[in-house]
Amino acid sequence: MKNKTNYIWHNGKFVHWDEAKIHVLTHSLHYGAATFEGIRCYNTDRGPAVFRLRDHFKRLFYSASVIDMKIPYSLEELETATLDLISKNKITECYIRPIAYYGYGKMGVNPQGAPVEIAIACWGWDKYMTHKLVDMKTNKYIRIPSVVSITDAKLSGNYLNSILGILQLQGTDYHETLFLDLNGNIAEGAAENIFFIKNGVLHTPKLGGILAGITRDTVMTLAKKMGLKVIEAKLSLQEAYLADEAFLTGTAIEIKPIRSIDDKIIGKGETGIITIDLQQSYLEVVHGKNKDFFHYLAFLK
Ligand code: PMP
């Protein structure tokens, strides 16, 4: 893998990157009952700081609870492990990937009785998507409805739906897939939440059948602080096509403007002015340039 670092934290120990291994009969590898996070660390004037570390680990514990997984570390221990890992890897900006999984010990679909293991890795991952603007295509698969799985938990198995959606883009010029829900309303991207702006008002699908994105929450907070109205509601595809601006949000992708959906150009087909303001404001916050949001930052010790 590109950009690998020296160490991975695995079950309480720092091990060399190439030694962080698991058995092929690891339970979660077979049945998908694992939970992971995607977190970013940014450089600031006061040194590297992890953005909303506590919120990410809270979500990890929530996701673990829905599959009856008892993580054998406290939230504080995992926070410390993450910060120490970044220091030990001598990296100032990175993507951080914790994963908690059912390990090796038993087979059969029921995970109860398999050991719970956890690893945290970090590496430099500058751009998740290199295009400045995203062309999206609606998916023939719908987002997993909440009567089928628990979609507000970040469970590995839920990503099969995302993978099937992304694979449909092969051989096309689209960059990202757009999932609709069971009723044909907008849900989210394969690994991003979505926002639309119409007449200066932000619209985003309400929680329920989507991941409660931490970037989504940050963007809503920033928008309200900027005096913008934010509406969380059902959104039809027709409304989406007619938006003035649209963008995706996610820890990896940050705030990414959308140029088109299903070949219909959104607004002027360029990054909208409100999107630019939000992007700028987001980057200031994560880089520790806005003291009102210092509480979002976990500095290395
Ligand atoms: N939806 C899905 C399905 C995702 O995988 C992600 C990435 N974690 C998001 C939304 C955005 O979440 P966040 O802003 O917390 O990274």
Side-chain angles (χ1 to χ4, degrees):
M1 186 174 132
K2 272 201 302 186
N3 299 342
K4 66 184 190 182
T5 49
N6 285 332
Y7 297 99
I8 287 178
W9 185 91
H10 195 192
N11 297 327
K13 293 197 187 82
F14 293 102
V15 294
H16 284 286
W17 180 284
D18 292 328
E19 300 306 320
K21 293 180 182 164
I22 56 162
H23 197 278
V24 290
L25 294 184
T26 293
H27 192 280
S28 295
L29 179 64
H30 295 250
Y31 306 112
T35 168
F36 67 95
E37 275 300 320
I39 316 173
R40 270 191 191 274
C41 173
Y42 294 89
N43 209 0
T44 75
D45 290 343
R46 287 164 55 185
V50 181
F51 188 61
R52 300 192 67 170
L53 181 60
R54 177 143 299 195
D55 294 320
H56 280 283
F57 276 123
K58 275 189 188 162
R59 188 168 67 185
L60 185 92
F61 276 88
Y62 164 69
S63 303
S65 75
V66 308
I67 48 172
D68 197 37
M69 176 186 277
K70 290 169 192 68
I71 295 180
Y73 297 92
S74 68
L75 194 148
E76 291 74 19
E77 284 171 322
L78 297 180
E79 283 180 335
T80 303
T82 305
L83 298 172
D84 290 350
L85 177 73
I86 299 167
S87 302
K88 219 170 150 55
N89 279 326
K90 297 186 174 51
I91 190 164
T92 52
E93 300 221 318
C94 58
Y95 181 83
I96 304 153
R97 167 57 55 85
I99 179 161
Y101 57 93
Y102 284 108
Y104 165 66
K106 67 168 282 205
M107 279 283 116
V109 175
N110 184 353
Q112 286 158 325
V116 176
E117 305 202 356
I118 178 157
I120 307 171
C122 71
W123 65 91
W125 195 359
D126 187 17
K127 290 270 172 286
Y128 179 75
M129 212 180 262
T130 46
H131 322 91
K132 199 162 170 274
L133 291 142
V134 177
D135 294 315
M136 297 190 84
K137 174 83 183 140
T138 45
N139 203 307
K140 75 169 182 185
Y141 299 104
I142 56 160
R143 198 63 177 150
I144 308 168
S146 47
V147 286
V148 174
S149 182
I150 302 172
T151 39
D152 67 349
K154 201 163 163 65
L155 302 172
S156 295
N158 286 347
Y159 282 82
L160 182 59
N161 182 231
S162 292
I163 289 172
L164 290 173
I166 288 175
L167 289 178
Q168 280 177 63
L169 303 178
Q170 268 183 329
T172 75
D173 292 330
Y174 301 110
H175 308 124
E176 186 54 299
T177 184
L178 174 63
F179 283 95
L180 304 180
D181 66 16
L182 197 54
N183 302 312
N185 292 310
I186 306 274
E188 59 186 333
E192 310 89 13
N193 293 116
I194 191 162
F195 282 83
F196 298 92
I197 300 170
K198 185 77 187 170
N199 300 326
V201 177
L202 259 76
H203 299 260
T204 194
K206 67 179 164 76
L207 297 180
I210 57 170
L211 191 74
I214 289 168
T215 323
R216 175 186 183 276
D217 179 73
T218 307
V219 164
M220 292 198 299
T221 305
L222 294 179
K224 286 175 194 161
K225 246 196 142 176
M226 286 159 64
L228 297 167
K229 191 171 170 198
V230 183
I231 299 177
E232 295 173 79
K234 280 185 196 148
L235 263 165
S236 72
L237 196 50
Q238 293 310 318
E239 287 172 297
Y241 292 154
L242 296 173
D244 301 326
E245 302 180 31
F247 58 85
L248 294 168
T249 63
T251 299
I253 205 169
E254 300 170 322
I255 298 177
K256 190 73 149 182
I258 298 166
R259 176 171 48 207
S260 70
I261 299 175
D262 299 336
D263 303 318
K264 294 179 179 59
I265 300 289
I266 306 297
K268 297 192 180 117
E270 55 195 38
T271 312
I273 44 168
I274 296 177
T275 308
I276 292 175
D277 278 354
L278 287 166
Q279 277 178 318
Q280 208 173 335
S281 168
Y282 184 76
L283 290 178
E284 276 169 19
V285 168
V286 298
H287 286 286
K289 302 218 179 298
N290 185 337
K291 60 175 176 18
D292 293 348
F293 291 97
F294 271 3
H295 60 283
Y296 278 167
L297 307 179
F299 290 94
L300 301 197
K301 292 183 182 101

